Amino acid sequence: MESSSTLEPLFAFMTYSLLRLEHAFKAIPGSAIVIRYVRSSYQNDPGRSVLELILLVFAIRTLLQNRTRARQKNFVKLTEKEIDELVDDWVPEPLYQPLDEGEQAELDTMPVISGPVGPKPKLANGKTVMNLASYNFTGLQGNEYIKERAVEILRKYGLGSCGPPGFYGTIDVHVDLERNLASFLGTESAIIYSQGFATISSVIAAFSKRGDIIVADRGVNFAIQKGIQISRSTVRWYDHNDLKSLEDVLEGVEKEAKKKRRPLTRRFIITEGIFENDGAMSDLPKLIELKKKYKYRLILDESMSFGSVGRTGRGLTELYNVPATEVDMIVGSMANGLCATGGFCAGSIHVTEHQRINGTAFVFSAAIPALLAVCASEGINILTSTPSLLETLQDNTRAMRSVLEKVDLIEILSHPASAVIHVCIRRHAYSSSGGLLAPGAAPQPSKHAKSNPAALTASKDYIEYDWQYEDRLLQEVVDEALAQGVMITRAKRLRGQEGWEPRSSIKLVATAALTRKECEKAAGVVKAALVKVLSRKR
C-alpha cells in the first residue's frame, strides 16, 4: 500500500503530461486526419504505431547525421607534410606477378615458325620439324584448292568485314557458310561466330539466366566455365564423364525442386563431345536418354570432335548414329575442324535466331573475313566428298597410340577415337620415398567421401597432384622431342583461374596430312623423349 501511494504522484504526472500532449497534438491543423488514418490503418494497435514512429525517427536521424567520417571529432587530422609522406611511402599492388624460372624458360624455348603452318613447318632457326601440335586433323591447312579459293575471294571481297554481323558485316558468303554447316550437321539452322573461345560462353549466357538450372560436367573446358559464370544460373556439377553421377544429380535437383516448391525454370545439361582437357569422350546416346527423362536441354560442345570424329567428321552424332536434332545445341570450332576461324552453334531456327539478338559475341564482334568463311565452306565440301581423310586420321591415331602405350611410366587419358592424345605421368610412378618425383609429391586423394554437386572441386574423384613439378618434367619432354625434330606441346592451363585443375599432360594431335609411317616415327621420338626424361628422375 505504501509503495502504491508513493507512485501515485508519478502516475498522475504522467497522465497529466500525456493529456497535455494529446491536447497539443489535436490543436495542430490536420491532426484529426492523422489520428483517423492511424486508427484505421493499425486497428487501434498502439504498439505497432509506436514501432512505426521509432523507425521514422531513426530514418530522419540517419538522413540528418553527418555521413563523412572525416568530419567526426575522433578522426585523426594529418598535416599536409604527413599526408605527403604517406603518399610517398605508399606502394601500389603490382599489375602482374613476375614470371618464375619455369615460365621464363618456357617462353625462351617456344618455337617460332617461319612460313606456313603445315604438317612439316620450318622453324625460324631453319630446322624443319614434324608438327603434332596443331589441330590440322584432316590436313585442310595445306590444301591447294582451298588456297586458290582464298586468293580468289581475297581479290573479290578484300580483307576484313569491318563490322558486326547484325549491322553491316554480314556478307553473302557468311549466309552460305551457315547454310552449309546446317546441311552438313543435319540441323535446321546454324549461326557462326568470329571467335571459337567466345562461342560457347556466349551461347550459354544467351539462354540460361539467373534462376535457371545448369547441370555440368566437372571437367568442362575453361570457356564453358566462363559461360556458366556469366549466366549467373544455379549450377550443379556431376563427376567427370560419369553418367551415373549425372543421373544422381538430376534426381537430386528434381527432389529439391519438389521439396521447396520451386517454379519451373529452364534446365540445361552442358558437356563436351571430346573433352579438351583430357580427350575423354561422352556417351551421347545415354546423355540424350537422361535429358529426355528429366526434361532438360542439352548443350554439346564439339570443338574437339567436329572434323575429327565420325565417317565424314560430323562429330559424335555421326559416330553414334544419333540424329543431330536430338541435341538442342551443337557448338563447335571452325578453327579446329575446318582450319578456318571462329565457331558455330547449330540447332533449330528459334535457337539460332535468338542468338542474333542476344548472343554477345555475335552482336559485338566483327564478322569473320570473307576468305575464311569460304575456306570453311570448302572444307565442309572436302570432308563430305572425301571420307578417306577421316579413315587416314583414325588409322594414324591408332598407330601413334600403339607406340606410346608401350611406355610404362605414362598413361593415356584420351579415348581411343580421339585425335587429340593426352599423355600424363602414371600414378604408380610416384614414390613418397623418392623415386620418380620428389618426396611428398605423390598425388593426394580427395578429402570428400561423397561428391557435392553444389561445389565444383568437391568431388570424391578429385586428386591433387604436384602439377608444378609435373609441368616442368613434361616441358623437358617437349623440349627433347623438338630437339629430335618433332613439335609437340604441353597442354596449357590457367592455373588458379580454372575451377577444376586438370592433370598436367602432353598433347599430341594426329593428322591425316602425315603418312602412317611418319606418325609412327614421330610417336617413337616422343616415346624416346619420355623414357629419357622420366628415367633420369628414378
Side-chain angles (χ1 to χ4, degrees):
M1 289 293 294
E2 292 183 2
S3 60
S4 299
S5 59
T6 305
L7 294 175
E8 282 182 2
L10 177 60
F11 291 151
F13 175 75
M14 291 179 63
T15 304
Y16 174 75
S17 300
L18 289 174
L19 289 173
R20 289 292 301 272
L21 183 62
E22 182 180 358
H23 290 154
F25 179 74
K26 289 181 178 181
I28 301 174
S31 58
I33 299 175
V34 175
I35 293 173
R36 285 199 305 271
Y37 170 76
V38 172
R39 286 177 177 174
S40 61
S41 300
Y42 300 103
Q43 295 81 37
N44 296 319
D45 184 357
R48 186 170 180 178
S49 300
V50 170
L51 179 60
E52 292 286 346
L53 180 63
I54 293 174
L55 292 175
L56 177 62
V57 173
F58 178 76
I60 295 174
R61 177 181 176 276
T62 302
L63 291 172
L64 296 179
Q65 73 179 356
N66 194 339
R67 307 182 78 175
T68 305
R69 292 186 60 188
R71 298 179 183 176
Q72 296 177 2
K73 295 180 180 179
N74 61 348
F75 191 82
V76 178
K77 294 183 178 180
L78 301 176
T79 64
E80 291 295 329
K81 182 179 180 181
E82 290 173 328
I83 293 175
D84 292 339
E85 290 176 350
L86 288 175
V87 170
D88 292 337
D89 293 339
W90 180 69
V91 178
E93 289 289 333
L95 293 176
Y96 57 89
Q97 294 296 328
L99 299 178
D100 58 33
E101 293 182 3
E103 292 171 333
Q104 188 60 56
E106 180 181 347
L107 291 177
D108 294 339
T109 58
M110 184 177 297
V112 178
I113 296 174
S114 176
V117 180
K120 295 180 181 180
K122 185 177 181 180
L123 302 183
N125 60 12
K127 185 177 183 179
T128 300
V129 295
M130 280 193 284
N131 185 1
L132 297 184
S134 301
Y135 293 129
N136 186 21
F137 297 126
T138 53
L140 296 177
Q141 195 280 335
N143 187 279
E144 292 299 326
Y145 176 71
I146 293 180
K147 289 181 182 180
E148 293 173 4
R149 287 286 288 148
V151 173
E152 177 185 336
I153 297 300
L154 176 62
R155 288 173 176 163
K156 180 179 179 180
Y157 290 93
L159 289 172
S161 59
C162 299
F167 295 93
Y168 40 81
T170 298
I171 308 173
D172 54 356
V173 294
H174 295 147
V175 180
D176 294 339
L177 174 56
E178 291 178 343
R179 189 183 303 114
N180 293 336
L181 281 166
S183 175
F184 181 66
L185 291 170
T187 60
E188 185 181 7
S189 181
I191 181 174
I192 58 174
Y193 286 78
S194 303
Q195 298 90 20
F197 180 88
T199 301
I200 184 64
S201 56
S202 181
V203 170
I204 294 171
F207 291 96
S208 187
K209 309 294 183 181
R210 186 188 298 275
D212 296 333
I213 296 175
I214 291 176
V215 178
D217 190 295
R218 296 182 192 274
V220 293
N221 59 53
F222 189 59
I224 294 179
Q225 292 180 32
K226 301 312 289 184
I228 293 174
Q229 180 183 359
I230 294 169
S231 73
R232 299 177 297 174
S233 303
T234 301
V235 187
R236 295 293 180 265
W237 303 94
Y238 66 93
D239 293 337
H240 180 41
N241 208 25
D242 184 346
L243 297 190
K244 176 61 173 64
S245 174
L246 169 60
E247 188 167 12
D248 292 342
V249 173
L250 295 177
E251 289 181 357
V253 171
E254 195 76 18
K255 292 178 181 178
E256 184 181 359
K258 290 180 179 178
K259 181 179 180 181
K260 297 184 178 180
R261 297 182 179 180
R262 290 178 174 172
L264 290 176
T265 59
R266 288 166 293 197
R267 300 179 178 186
F268 301 89
I269 297 173
I270 302 178
T271 187
E272 297 180 68
I274 291 180
F275 288 87
E276 180 182 345
N277 288 331
D278 61 6
M281 182 183 291
S282 295
D283 185 346
L284 183 58
K286 182 63 175 179
L287 281 170
I288 293 175
E289 177 188 334
L290 291 176
K291 78 111 176 175
K292 288 182 176 180
K293 179 179 178 181
Y294 293 95
K295 306 297 188 295
Y296 277 69
R297 294 179 175 91
L298 176 60
I299 301 178
L300 182 66
D301 186 353
E302 292 225 59
S303 295
M304 291 294 126
S305 49
F306 176 75
S308 68
V309 169
R311 191 181 71 86
T312 57
R314 288 176 168 87
L316 260 65
T317 54
E318 185 176 45
L319 180 68
Y320 286 105
N321 195 26
V322 173
T325 51
E326 296 286 345
V327 182
D328 298 277
M329 282 166 262
I330 298 176
V331 182
S333 168
M334 296 184 293
N336 296 346
L338 299 176
C339 293
T341 188
F344 66 87
C345 177
S348 68
I349 186 70
H350 303 291
V351 164
T352 58
E353 294 303 297
H354 176 77
Q355 294 175 63
R356 300 187 194 279
I357 303 298
N358 294 276
T360 52
F362 180 86
V363 173
F364 297 108
S365 298
I368 65 175
L371 67 94
L372 291 175
V374 172
C375 290
S377 291
E378 295 297 344
I380 291 174
N381 295 334
I382 292 174
L383 292 179
T384 304
S385 61
T386 319
S388 59
L389 288 176
L390 274 299
E391 294 175 3
T392 302
L393 173 64
Q394 292 154 12
D395 187 45
N396 289 347
T397 301
R398 289 190 292 269
M400 292 171 59
R401 287 182 64 99
S402 65
V403 174
L404 295 172
E405 286 171 348
K406 298 175 182 178
V407 182
D408 183 57
L409 295 176
I410 67 167
E411 60 180 311
I412 299 176
L413 303 176
S414 306
H415 188 276
S418 172
V420 182
I421 304 172
H422 286 263
V423 176
C424 67
I425 300 173
R426 189 180 294 274
R427 294 179 185 177
H428 74 66
Y430 289 86
S431 172
S432 59
S433 60
L436 177 62
L437 297 185
Q444 301 299 316
S446 174
K447 302 176 182 177
H448 306 278
K450 186 178 180 181
S451 300
N452 178 10
L456 177 56
T457 57
S459 170
K460 60 181 178 61
D461 298 326
Y462 185 72
I463 297 178
E464 294 182 3
Y465 293 85
D466 187 355
W467 55 264
Q468 290 180 323
Y469 194 87
E470 286 194 4
D471 281 349
R472 288 196 295 270
L473 277 181
L474 296 178
Q475 186 60 44
E476 291 183 28
V477 175
V478 171
D479 297 339
E480 177 64 26
L482 184 63
Q484 301 303 320
V486 177
M487 185 168 67
I488 58 175
T489 181
R490 181 170 51 80
K492 303 303 172 65
R493 318 292 190 191
L494 289 175
R495 300 294 185 185
Q497 297 186 44
E498 299 193 42
W500 176 277
E501 293 286 357
R503 288 284 307 273
S504 299
S505 65
I506 290 175
K507 184 168 60 177
L508 294 84
V509 183
T511 176
L514 295 173
T515 65
R516 178 187 176 93
K517 188 174 182 180
E518 289 173 328
C519 288
E520 289 177 339
K521 179 181 178 181
V525 171
V526 177
K527 172 188 173 183
L530 284 164
V531 172
K532 180 179 180 179
V533 172
L534 298 183
S535 297
R536 286 203 308 254
K537 305 299 177 180
R538 282 185 175 275

